[in-house]
Amino acid sequence: MPKDAPPNGGATPDADPVGPRQRASEMQAKLHRCSAADPGRRFGDLFNFVHDPATLLVAFDRVADNRGANTPGVDGLSAADVEERIGIPGFLNALRAPLKRGTFRPLPVRERTIPKPGGSGKVRRLGNPVIADRVVQAALKLVPEPIFEADFKPVSYGFRPKRRAKDAIAESRFYESSQFRAGSRAPAASKLDERTRPPTPST
């Protein structure tokens, strides 16, 4: 774990004057800085960050913002059910305890089938994990993500936050059209230069 990372032992969101979302963002920023400064660095004890209350809260935010948040798993709970019936603090506290002890076990995935596009009559299978499992998955992604981000190049688009394959296609088309315009201007500029260049005196 980075030496300048803040302790996160038994902190709770309510006891944190900085705010859990800001603290999670600062944690990610520190991990990114350490990884960028020392590409060969090995990070230890990162799991403390996974079950940190701030990380779990941000993870729940991401799950709740996902368009599948209202699709329940085998326990019948959606993200809205958690907020309305259980309460986010109580839900995350109950989730954090087994995570911290190392006794957390995911539940089976609820499967359903949907028709494939095109009217072929074929179907594809979808799996819906329970909300608790989705939050753990999101938390596990939040922690190593800034470490690996430091290794990516600006032109890397695969499986990165706020980047899509469509962005890569758009950028490639932009550079392709830019090179085409530059290439089409070159002959014209050359001919113009020939017309305006003063004649070379004969010897």
Side-chain angles (χ1 to χ4, degrees):
M1 182 169 60
K3 294 180 180 179
D4 57 350
N8 60 358
T12 61
D14 294 336
D16 188 354
V18 175
R21 292 173 180 84
Q22 181 180 343
R23 193 154 63 88
S25 177
E26 290 174 353
M27 174 272 293
Q28 287 190 304
K30 287 181 179 180
L31 290 175
H32 185 274
R33 284 198 302 270
C34 291
S35 181
D38 183 4
R41 180 171 185 161
R42 297 178 64 88
F43 292 82
D45 202 20
L46 290 177
F47 195 67
N48 271 343
F49 285 129
V50 174
H51 60 69
D52 185 279
T55 304
L56 292 177
L57 181 60
V58 173
F60 183 86
D61 287 345
R62 289 195 175 186
V63 171
D65 288 342
N66 190 282
R67 64 181 179 180
N70 290 324
T71 304
V74 294
D75 61 355
L77 288 176
S78 66
D81 293 330
V82 170
E83 294 184 55
E84 296 168 7
R85 293 162 48 185
I86 302 173
I88 297 174
F91 173 79
L92 294 181
N93 286 337
L95 177 60
R96 181 173 182 256
L99 270 178
K100 190 174 180 180
R101 291 194 305 264
T103 59
F104 173 82
R105 296 293 181 271
L107 291 177
V109 172
R110 174 174 168 259
E111 291 189 351
R112 64 190 182 98
T113 59
I114 62 171
K116 287 187 175 181
S120 63
K122 296 181 179 180
V123 297
R124 66 188 183 101
R125 303 171 75 180
L126 293 180
N128 299 116
V130 297
I131 294 297
D133 293 352
R134 295 183 218 179
V135 171
V136 173
Q137 291 171 2
L140 286 168
K141 181 174 179 286
L142 278 167
V143 176
E145 190 172 66
I147 298 174
F148 291 111
E149 269 291 309
D151 294 332
F152 282 113
K153 304 298 182 185
V155 293
S156 301
Y157 280 91
F159 302 100
R160 297 181 69 192
K162 299 180 180 179
R163 285 174 176 250
R164 307 172 301 167
K166 291 181 179 179
D167 298 326
I169 294 172
E171 184 171 2
S172 65
R173 286 176 175 169
F174 169 77
Y175 282 117
E176 184 180 9
S177 63
S178 298
Q179 291 175 357
F180 176 78
R181 288 196 299 270
S184 63
R185 284 197 302 267
S190 177
K191 292 179 180 178
L192 178 64
D193 189 46
E194 289 177 2
R195 290 196 300 268
T196 56
R197 185 185 302 122
T200 304
S202 58
T203 56

